[in-house]
Amino acid sequence: MTASAQTSRGLDIHFDGVVHLYPSAEGDVVALRGVDLDVGAGEEFALLGPSGSGKSTVLSLLAGLQRPSAGQIKVGPYDIGRLTNRQLLRLRATEVSLVLQDPARNLLPYATPTQNIEFSQRGARGRGKTPPWKPQALLEQLGMGRLAQRTVATLSGGEQQRVAIASGVAGAPRLLLVDEPTSQLDTASRDQVIELLHRINSELGATVVSVTHDPTVAEAMPRTVTIRDGRVGAEGRRGEEYAVVGRDGSVQLPPDVLERLPPGTLLRVHRHRAGVDLRDPELDPHGQ
Amino acid sequence: MLGRYCILSLTDGRPTVRTYRGRPYATPLPGALWRTRVRTCHEMKSTSRHLPLTLAALRWRWATSISLLVAATLAVAASAAGPLYLSTADGTVLHAHLEAAGASATVVSVGDYVTSSEAAALDHPALALGRQYGLSRWFGQPVWSVTAAMDLPAPMPLVARPGVCSHVHFLVGHCPTTAGQVVLTSRSAQAVGLHLGSTVVPTAPPGVGPVTVVGIIAPGNLANPYWLGQDYFNFGGGSLDAAFTVPATVASLPSTAVAQFPLLPSRVTVGNVAGMEQAVSAYERAATEQLGLTTGSKLFAAVSSYANSGSLMAAIVLVVDLQLVLLALFVIFGLVQRSAEARRREVALAKLRGFRLTRVLSLGLAEPALLTLIALPAGLIVAYAGMAIAQRLALPNSVVLLQPLPVLAGMAAFAGGLIAAVVGVRRTISSRLSDELRAVEPKPSGAARAAMDGAALALAVAGIVELLAAGVLNGSQPNPLAAFAPGLVAVAVAIVGVRGLPILASVVVNRTRNSRWMATGLAVRQVVRRPASLRQVTLLAVATGLACFAVTGWAAAGLNRTTRADFVLGAARVLTVQVPAGLNLEHAVERADPSGRHAMAAMLSKTPSENLLAVQVSRLAHVAYWPKDLSRTSLPTLARWLAPHLQPALILTGAEVRATITETGNPDPPPDLVFNVVDSGGNPGVADFGFLKSGTHTYTANLPATCTGGCHAVDLEPIWTASSTGPQQVQYSLAISSLQVRTAGTGSWHGVTSRLDDPAYWVSNGPGITAAAVGASGRRALLLSVNDQAGQASSPAVIPAALPSTLHGVVTQANGVSDPAAASIENFDGSSLTLDVPYQVAALPQLGYEGFLIDLQAALRAESAPPSQTVDQVWLNANAPSSVEASLLAQGIRVTGVQTPATDIQSMNRGGLALAYLFFLFAAGAAAVLATGAAVFSIFMTSRRRAFELAVLRAIGLSQRTLLRSLLGEQLLVLGPGVVLGIAAGLLGALMALPSVPEFTSLAGGPPVELVFPVLPIVGLVVALVVLLAVAAAFASAATLRLASWDRLRTEMT
């Protein structure tokens, strides 16, 4: 029995006008300002964006750690905003798994990878879901069999990150969320982690969402979504980047374009068969 | 094992429980039942998987695990120690009381007025009855004695008592073996003029045959348990010691037969003492009802005294034990809560992985629960072992038994630990997961903290008010709120201190800004940045406060016992002496200690109606213990008042006295002139010059034999008796010009300082006689003008002014004297004495709260008869050279007993009060260890977090030395105030609570005591605590710094 044979298809994701506020003493901080996003089941993509843009908020909302202030998030059949705490716990135990940025936050440092995977599976087992693989088999399948009996604290940073990701999929989730999987890793470790994420997506069938700053990771992903200032600013597919028209018709421009067209610039909209051009009247006074 | 316990399988695609808790189950189970079973089985399997992980986690956090285990063990031990100590010390108190009471007070006696034949019969049924009621469990074989009264010719008890000859010392002769043989004490034999081999027919009772003295013995020592309190050697005051014989001698005499059951204290335990009381009561009742015997025992009083002492001990122990338990709970609560918090990330991870809340809770509880579970038996074992050591060192005659109460107390600490763990985990569970994952430290609500502080302060105020209003004890029961007050005071002081410390630290922060004091600046900022670390101050302050309170109580109580023992006895050594006839004790002491600084003669009389102590007042200040607070008047003032302002006595020392007397007036019949004298033993005597002749003649009179040691003249009395036919009144004068004594019939005459030329020295006892000075034969003489008449109540006489009518004295406040200027008391000889007692004292040595103190010389001079029921003593101070005692012995004084305060202290140290305060010392040690353990634990808990920060500081170039100093400073900023606040709180608590604890409120017979802070023990405690904490801080700082490696910057594992 292989792992893939046991895995059901991944969950699709739909963000519909999602707004999220963080309350603070100085006034609420708007983290997300109407995010619309659709991710197909079994898709693998990366969330990009500068620090503070809201991508980690997207991840925590997907994991059900928080509920959106407005809008709707659907993960497969589940409406995150309408689930009770108990249901969110069940969701995390059986369907959605989050791997946090620091591997130490995902692992028991005194336990072996095998024990850590067993530990992660307890949530699913407690909900009556029997994970389709044994810890050793999972580690073998993900190419970490030789690490199985070593204590986590003795592993390198890259090994720990891979074990953390393995723990994340231990309960056979249909959606795997990974926050900065390659931070603090060397190139070789980074490549191994990327390879691991691909294998999880392809062999286990889970939808994989990675938040990353790492351009290498972004390049390795078939799809990227860039969050800027709380909105979906751009999307890349197979190496090509696209601007995204928001629900209100707004378009987030890439930073290099913004340098040329600073806020307040008047643009002429030029329609043609292939689409629309935005032109600066000063540079193109005749609209040619 | 678990597989046998719980087996799951699939039947037709449905999970089925094959066995559950070892029992087979029919399959498949119906409905929802199998779901419950399946879940339970899952949880059991989960538990089996939990354990290795929990053990690995404990190993991973070994330092904190060991710290928690040690601290929890100590907390459980401390909780169990109080009840365990009480149950153990109870045995010591019981035996101390039984031993202090002595054999005489613990014996059970049954007896009746019977003939000897009846006495023989008495033995059997009394014994059988004793067996029936199980007395042999606690009592030895009964000793029976038959006592008859016999005059030989003076009244003397005649006693037949088995085994008597092996308990007396034979001076000469042998034990009586047949009827009619008796043994006498040497002094009784001398008093009745009998000797070895004498045969005499008793004058009473009539019809008794002759008895023969076959042995002369020394008086027995009544302290020997054999005598069981029977006072057979009551010589003096007209009484003679008993004579001993065989039963056949008293066979035909009316007698009193008594069977005595001697208590065997070693067989009495705390557990069976109640049974003993019941058995004795039942036996006595049966002996009275079935055998018609009279019964008597002071045993119940001794047991009652033990019970009172035991309950007092329990009440006092509870005063400190409640606080120790409170501290233990406080410590265990804090430690376990922090330990639970240390698993925040693991708990958060469990929540992230969607664990059920019950599993999250069990995950958070696993480590602290396991450690506290181990700590429960470990703590009980530690408490037991500690008590076993204490039992060997300080609790003789006791048994350490782990009874239910100590176990329950230990379980209370365990329960406190579990509750703390639940609270700690609950806080983690209830916090937002997003915060946990961002490692945001939970900030306690300011309002909640203020409310808790306010509640604690209010409770402390209530405790203080209750304490000041009602005291620690309500009767013999502890007053709970007041008993907690010292601990609450410590909490209150700590709260105030902890609130003030950040303010103080912020001042230092400003001062160290831009200064070179890098280490200090870092340390202070660390404290200001994390005020939560200051909660350690509260714990340390409470622990230190308790330690200080306990040390103060223990040391002050010990000091009080020493003061009491010193005062009650009166001096460093008190010799009970027998003074041979003719020897004046005062003079003997003056010869033994001419300096007057080491020894003092004293005479003591304690009767139910009156207590009287007479001492050589001039030596009182040098020899006696006299606490300053005994009276408002200083000792020198009292001594000046007590010092006899007497004219010198007219002492006649020798065998004969002669006087030159000129009689004029030619009385008919002639008067008989006598000197009434009293020897040094108080025995009156007469020196009779015979009938006087007209003209000048020298008359010689024999002095009583005891006057070789000196007799003082009581009066000079011309006795004239009118003849039946002659005149009934006569006037004449006597001029006495010379008074001389000599020691033997052939010795030379020596003049006596008689003040014959000083008429003021001679005071008439009535109107029939006057004294004047007159010249006679070229010398001045005493002229007595006598106008005597027949039928007077007493003859006219002149009395030396050496005998005042009113003596100066000091009285105790409790004695109650209606007229201080003329208090009437009974002198040692039974005569009436008038005292002027303007000064009062709280208590008197040897007498306690009721009694009079007078000068010995004055008391003896006022005697006209031998003293009765008195004790002669010589008091020696601590610096008295051995030559003093040797000199006394050389003068023929026999020392029959030696008392020192150490004896009394030893006795008191085994009493309930002392043992209660001994527990204070234990509590102090436990509190100090708990404080240190908690501090070490707290340091370890923060070491990993601090290590990361320190690694950063090292990375930016701070030297290791600076960081070490900063760490040390940080620890000291937390630990130092804890110790300082704790000491202040402890002293404050002691000042408020201890004065109402019995050791300080009542000391039977002792001087008034007040709380004196024992400086040395408190300083010792502070030093010990500072050293302990400094070592702990240095060790922890060094260990933390070692963790601050480069690697820590790369990855922080927990």
Side-chain angles (χ1 to χ4, degrees), chain B residues 544 547-548 551-552 928 976 979-980 982-984 987 1014-1030:
Chain B
T544 309
C548 180
V551 160
T552 304
V979 173
V980 172
I983 294 291
L987 293 179
V1015 178
L1016 271 182
I1018 293 172
V1019 170
L1021 172 73
V1022 173
V1023 169
L1025 266 177
V1026 167
V1027 168
L1028 266 175
L1029 293 172

Side-chain angles (χ1 to χ4, degrees), chain A residues 98 110 119 122 126-127, chain B residues 50 346 353-356 437:
Chain A
L98 172 62
Y110 44 80
F119 179 80
R122 281 186 205 166
R127 308 287 176 177
Chain B
H50 263 312
E346 282 137 285
R353 296 287 174 247
F355 282 33
R356 287 178 185 280
L437 297 178

Side-chain angles (χ1 to χ4, degrees), chain A residues 100-257:
Chain A
L100 299 165
Q101 180 175 356
D102 183 353
R105 296 182 188 279
N106 299 283
L107 298 171
L108 305 175
Y110 44 80
T112 63
T114 306
Q115 288 172 320
N116 267 287
I117 289 170
E118 274 180 354
F119 179 80
S120 295
Q121 288 178 336
R122 281 186 205 166
R125 288 181 194 281
R127 308 287 176 177
K129 175 183 177 182
T130 305
W133 41 67
K134 289 187 181 299
Q136 182 67 35
L138 179 63
L139 286 169
E140 295 284 355
Q141 185 165 350
L142 298 178
M144 290 180 281
R146 64 186 176 81
L147 306 178
Q149 298 308 320
R150 287 173 58 187
T151 306
V152 164
T154 64
L155 301 179
S156 70
E159 290 168 336
Q160 286 180 18
Q161 182 64 60
R162 287 160 60 206
V163 173
I165 293 170
S167 295
V169 296
R174 295 166 68 190
L175 170 61
L176 176 65
L177 309 168
V178 190
D179 194 5
E180 298 289 0
T182 58
S183 63
Q184 303 171 25
L185 296 186
D186 57 26
T187 309
S189 298
R190 183 192 61 200
D191 292 346
Q192 287 176 331
V193 167
I194 292 170
E195 172 60 21
L196 178 64
L197 291 175
H198 286 328
R199 290 178 69 178
I200 289 169
N201 177 245
S202 60
E203 295 182 18
L204 307 185
T207 304
V208 177
V209 179
S210 304
V211 164
T212 184
H213 277 100
D214 190 341
T216 311
V217 176
E219 286 169 13
M221 292 293 152
R223 180 183 172 192
T224 62
V225 172
T226 303
I227 306 288
R228 286 197 205 98
D229 197 21
R231 299 166 192 247
V232 175
E235 189 166 332
R237 290 178 189 263
R238 291 172 294 281
E240 190 173 354
E241 189 163 333
Y242 302 89
V244 178
V245 180
R247 176 185 293 268
D248 57 355
S250 63
V251 175
Q252 291 274 323
L253 299 176
D256 58 324
V257 177

Side-chain angles (χ1 to χ4, degrees), chain B residues 416-510:
Chain B
L418 281 188
I419 292 168
V422 170
V423 170
V425 174
R426 189 197 58 81
R427 188 182 292 176
T428 307
I429 289 174
S430 61
S431 63
R432 290 193 305 182
L433 185 56
S434 51
D435 286 345
E436 299 286 348
L437 297 178
R438 291 209 310 263
V440 175
E441 284 199 21
K443 289 183 180 173
S445 159
R449 197 179 155 206
M452 284 181 67
D453 287 359
L457 285 172
L459 209 57
V461 170
I464 291 168
V465 170
E466 182 73 14
L467 178 65
L468 297 178
V472 170
L473 299 183
N474 184 8
S476 63
Q477 298 300 315
N479 194 356
L481 189 57
F484 271 119
L488 293 172
V489 166
V491 172
V493 169
I495 286 171
V496 173
V498 167
R499 289 276 178 178
L501 273 176
I503 300 168
L504 196 65
S506 60
V507 173
V508 183
V509 165
N510 293 333

Side-chain angles (χ1 to χ4, degrees), chain B residues 816-824 835-837:
Chain B
V817 175
S818 56
D819 181 6
S824 180
L835 290 187
D836 186 1
V837 285

Side-chain angles (χ1 to χ4, degrees), chain B residues 13 97 107 144 172 234 305 378 411 432-433 673 692 754 785:
Chain B
H97 275 78
V107 71
W144 66 271
V172 63
N234 188 23
S305 165
M411 288 178 75
R432 290 193 305 182
L433 185 56
L673 184 65
L692 303 181
S754 58
S785 300

